[in-house]
Amino acid sequence: MGTSANTVAGGRGAAVPKDVDYAQYFCTYAFLYHQKEMLSDRVRMDAYFNAIFENKRHFAGKTVLDVGTGSGILAIWSAQAGARKVYAVEATKMSEHARALVKANNLQDVVEVIEGSMEEVTLPEKVDVIVSEWMGYFLLRESMFDSVIHARDRWLKQTGVMYPSHARMWMAPIKTGIGDHKLGDYESTMDDWHNFVDETKTYYGVDMTVLSVRELEEQSEKYINTSLWNNLHPNQVVGTAAIIKEIDCLTATQTDIEKVRSNFSLSITHENTKLCGFGGWFDVHFRGRSEDPTEQEIELTTAPSVDYGTHWGQQVFLLHPPMHLSEGDDLRVSFLMSRSKENHRLMEVELGCEIHQQSGKLLAPFKNKYYIE
Amino acid sequence: MGTSANTVAGGRGAAVPKDVDYAQYFCTYAFLYHQKEMLSDRVRMDAYFNAIFENKRHFAGKTVLDVGTGSGILAIWSAQAGARKVYAVEATKMSEHARALVKANNLQDVVEVIEGSMEEVTLPEKVDVIVSEWMGYFLLRESMFDSVIHARDRWLKQTGVMYPSHARMWMAPIKTGIGDHKLGDYESTMDDWHNFVDETKTYYGVDMTVLSVRELEEQSEKYINTSLWNNLHPNQVVGTAAIIKEIDCLTATQTDIEKVRSNFSLSITHENTKLCGFGGWFDVHFRGRSEDPTEQEIELTTAPSVDYGTHWGQQVFLLHPPMHLSEGDDLRVSFLMSRSKENHRLMEVELGCEIHQQSGKLLAPFKNKYYIE
């Protein structure tokens, strides 16, 4: 998708001006504390470290592009694994620190840090490998993969490999106490609102009742219809998990990833449990390409885990009220995720569900809207 | 200052595109919860309510402009006080709710809600009164008064009055426990950073020592050099307060308010106390104009108070380390506040201080930089 120099493709053809994109998105990445959060994620770091160093054959003597280099870590590892040349592209002023880090680790002859957006920079040559850590919450939040696709189509050799090579989105039914908290917060906010309306009428002679509809909307959106970051315990997953999206990073197009549409089935596996909502997460794999596979296949998963949690956590989509279900009950789920009109880096989800109970009973189907903020 | 249709004057001549201004500033005001926070501030509400209803002579049969009407409250009160016509201008979609509120209170024949920025809208006539609640933290944060000045120069009749008519900024020496907390947080963040550097070197073969300078900068900025919102108790004020800026809302120009430059003296009034920093706040007055004064002069102050705190709180500028001073010690303070290059709605402060102790001793002068975020 062609973009003019001062805009960023906004999905649905809507161009977002560069400086708005910076104010809304990029600016957090210019801060070291934010980079450090990701650099301190041992599961993430181990996966990329192993993916690169267990597969030196893909790097030694080769040219590499690191899309969104941040602190420069992946570029540095690529160079340490023997790359001939590494182009490390970073849109924010973090590039200056990446450059300093490269120099401090004596790799300035191999790693060239380039400040600019991937859609705008020009490289002197095509590359053998594109490495990038582009995954947002629930994989696609932030829509950074758009930039990886652009880089791949423009700068990856015909024989090139993608690191990671594959990505998948998963969903499962869950139980959680968060829903009760959120409902409680919502109810007390609405009580507070009603008191406020009474007082404003009494003391200030203005009747604000007509705004109650808007207040209800805003509060529902905030407490009930916005997905949450959470670090789920595996015990909270009360049924089977389903793959709702698969991406081949070598061939996926912008159109393929613009919307995520999936109909899938889940079964409850816990006896007498509560369905409080759905948890969503992702995994990526480093497999190389079929004609040129990795020696060592590496997986990075963000599934609920006791010891291997990541900074991504999982995304929780709450159901109000929770439903009492049991082992063998089936859920037929329709899922549609699209980009928000206001901000292509945020998402809107329509999640429909039909529940067929083991007893034969069919519960009233529902369809909920969620915002991934 | 002239502005083209799609930009907002950014101070220092720098134009900020409208959509960036929206992404960085206006967007919070489109939310009802934010309006409600201000509408629930009884001191604020009482002051404007009384300013209008105790001075009906300025409103009855007159034309009024409410700059940044938000929910529409000031426009509604102006109409209830007898205004012939009220133009209520609001830049965000909150204008739709203001319109609904006007209608629900049967004032649609008097109050016309206009969605748009003050710099862009056209009114059918000039007005007798401009009413606006434009004050940000420490008065000028958010730089909304720019828009009031623009409105006044374009739309206020020669004989018109401003509500409020005057504004002042104040500073005083304070004691507070926050500084110790912040210093503790800072120190533990830096310890955590050094551990991180060691681990990244050990496990991942990358030496991040060179980034420590940047880390130190970011953390100092965050914990030490950024002013804080606080609700100070009057007991925390350990010396005299000084007026550091006075604004006549009828005559102030853009240039007058672009920078706040002041040299002032403060005296410590507490025996054996700690100077932990400076507190800044403001007051506004509703006095009308000399040829046409208010019948009832009203004051809205945000000075430290037990019972009359406001949502503005005060701004706290911390000193590290605190200094042990005593009654009679004098502070000569130089203060310079300018707009941030990156965002004209945020401020940067240079605060210099010389301390002359009662004993005759002169402590080492210091000069600190602060960000008002």
Side-chain angles (χ1 to χ4, degrees), chain A residues 29-317:
Chain A
Y29 285 100
F31 286 95
L32 201 49
Y33 83 81
H34 189 60
Q35 296 293 330
K36 179 178 171 291
E37 200 203 343
M38 297 183 286
L39 292 166
S40 301
D41 179 339
R42 296 292 291 266
V43 171
R44 169 190 187 266
M45 290 289 271
D46 285 349
Y48 275 87
F49 183 86
N50 292 330
I52 294 172
F53 288 101
E54 301 280 325
N55 293 296
K56 285 185 180 169
R57 197 178 56 77
H58 274 153
F59 291 87
K62 300 290 171 70
T63 52
V64 181
L65 166 61
D66 177 1
V67 178
T69 201
S71 60
I73 188 75
L74 302 184
I76 286 173
W77 285 338
S78 301
Q80 289 174 336
R84 170 170 72 72
K85 186 78 189 183
V86 183
Y87 302 101
V89 178
E90 170 56 39
T92 77
K93 289 270 171 255
M94 184 53 55
S95 62
E96 294 174 3
H97 304 302
R99 200 171 286 116
L101 197 61
V102 162
K103 191 158 205 292
N105 286 270
N106 295 312
L107 295 163
Q108 63 273 23
D109 294 336
V110 177
V111 181
E112 182 178 334
V113 177
I114 301 167
E115 183 184 334
S117 86
M118 199 62 242
E119 288 77 4
E120 288 177 12
V121 302
T122 304
L123 307 183
E125 56 181 328
K126 293 202 176 198
V127 300
D128 298 299
V129 184
I130 288 180
V131 66
S132 180
E133 196 279 79
W134 51 267
M135 300 85 70
Y137 293 157
F138 202 19
L139 191 67
L140 294 176
R141 182 183 177 276
E142 293 179 48
S143 298
M144 185 180 161
F145 191 59
D146 293 11
S147 301
V148 177
I149 288 177
H150 181 103
R152 180 200 70 200
D153 291 348
R154 192 151 176 222
W155 300 112
L156 189 69
K157 289 179 184 170
Q158 288 274 51
T159 50
V161 287
M162 300 291 292
Y163 270 63
S165 56
H166 297 83
R168 297 185 301 189
M169 291 170 64
W170 292 80
M171 285 197 93
I174 61 162
K175 65 182 178 188
T176 171
I178 302 177
D180 287 343
H181 291 150
K182 291 293 175 187
L183 200 64
D185 290 342
Y186 169 79
E187 284 170 352
S188 80
T189 303
M190 289 314 297
D191 282 345
D192 179 61
W193 170 263
H194 291 301
N195 289 339
F196 162 77
V197 170
D198 287 341
E199 286 182 10
T200 310
K201 205 182 321 186
T202 306
Y203 294 114
Y204 300 117
V206 180
D207 186 350
M208 300 225 165
T209 311
V210 76
L211 297 182
S212 302
V213 172
R214 173 60 185 166
E215 176 70 3
L216 204 98
E217 256 176 31
E218 270 187 33
Q219 298 308 330
S220 300
E221 210 174 286
K222 179 177 174 181
Y223 288 116
I224 293 170
N225 297 112
T226 299
S227 64
L228 309 166
W229 183 97
N230 197 233
N231 197 19
L232 292 168
H233 191 285
N235 288 350
Q236 292 179 265
V237 179
V238 299
T240 54
I243 295 169
I244 72 169
K245 181 75 176 178
E246 298 202 60
I247 293 173
D248 180 339
C249 301
L250 197 56
T251 58
T253 64
Q254 182 71 31
T255 311
D256 289 340
I257 61 158
E258 205 118 305
K259 288 191 200 298
V260 175
R261 203 186 293 270
S262 181
N263 295 312
F264 54 96
S265 292
L266 304 170
S267 283
I268 301 298
T269 53
H270 284 207
E271 194 69 39
N272 286 332
T273 190
K274 269 202 319 193
L275 175 67
C276 303
F278 297 89
W281 64 86
F282 67 88
D283 58 32
V284 298
H285 285 84
F286 300 82
R287 294 197 184 105
R289 59 191 295 163
S290 37
E291 313 89 340
D292 185 13
T294 48
E295 276 157 20
Q296 185 65 44
E297 179 174 319
I298 301 294
E299 173 183 86
L300 165 55
T301 176
T302 66
S305 169
V306 179
D307 295 321
Y308 298 101
T310 71
H311 77 284
W312 282 285
Q314 294 82 31
Q315 281 293 290
V316 168
F317 301 83

Side-chain angles (χ1 to χ4, degrees), chain A residues 17 19-20 31-33 36 42 45-46 77 80 97 101 105 192-193 203-207 214 218, chain B residues 17 19-20 31-33 36 42 45-46 77 80 97 101 105 192-193 203-207 214 218:
Chain A
D19 41 14
V20 177
F31 286 95
L32 201 49
Y33 83 81
K36 179 178 171 291
R42 296 292 291 266
M45 290 289 271
D46 285 349
W77 285 338
Q80 289 174 336
H97 304 302
L101 197 61
N105 286 270
D192 179 61
W193 170 263
Y203 294 114
Y204 300 117
V206 180
D207 186 350
R214 173 60 185 166
E218 270 187 33
Chain B
D19 42 14
V20 177
F31 287 94
L32 199 50
Y33 83 82
K36 179 180 170 293
R42 296 290 290 267
M45 291 289 271
D46 285 349
W77 284 340
Q80 289 174 336
H97 305 302
L101 196 61
N105 286 269
D192 179 60
W193 169 264
Y203 294 115
Y204 300 116
V206 179
D207 186 350
R214 173 60 184 164
E218 271 189 30

